[in-house]
Amino acid sequence: MTDLTVAPWHTICGRLVHAGAELCLFEYQILHPDGTRDVRHRLVEPDSTRVVAVDPAGQLALIWHWRYPLGYPAIELPSAPVEPDSDPQTAAQRALRDGCGLAAREWTGIGTITVATQAAGQTVHLYRAAGLHRTPQTLSDGERLAFALPYPVAVASAVTGAIQDAASIAALLHAEQQRLAGDWQPPDTRPPRPPRCRFS
């Protein structure tokens, strides 16, 4: 029986291919159990965040974010990398402020996920923000545009694929699971029922 706790290769050596402010790329020579050699790469990025922030009107903060590897803008929750010697919540607060011009009085950690590809593995910290209010916003870099959707519409968009960012989908599903469990509720934005008429 295969032991899945043991790596199916042995790393012989490695070297740093590229070192930048936002990421590092390593190249490794590996040896398979059958004696064949192969080359693997590992892309090291800082941890990231995603923020589920719903305002008093039931609107979820979102970002129309141009992503260079995609070649087109993606719909995402506010996000920011976790800087060295900082904590994830500080990065989440920066994401909401710089991306949407918002601050929050209440912060709740709702989970942590790992986004992995053949060459990269990144930890993403998920938060829910409440008690939103406007704050001075950093000037836009031309790559992001903030907008909002009703929370139920955003959740449906994550399920149907209109929102495709995996970390944003995971954050919304975490938040929705907790809502269904009764841990929190977005504002009820349904129009009030008209009063009943009483006829004599």
Side-chain angles (χ1 to χ4, degrees), residues 154-167:
V155 172
S157 298
V159 173
T160 61
I163 295 176
Q164 297 184 338
D165 175 59

Side-chain angles (χ1 to χ4, degrees), residues 2 47 49 77 88 94 170 182 200:
T2 302
D47 288 5
T49 58
L77 293 171
R94 186 176 73 253
S200 55

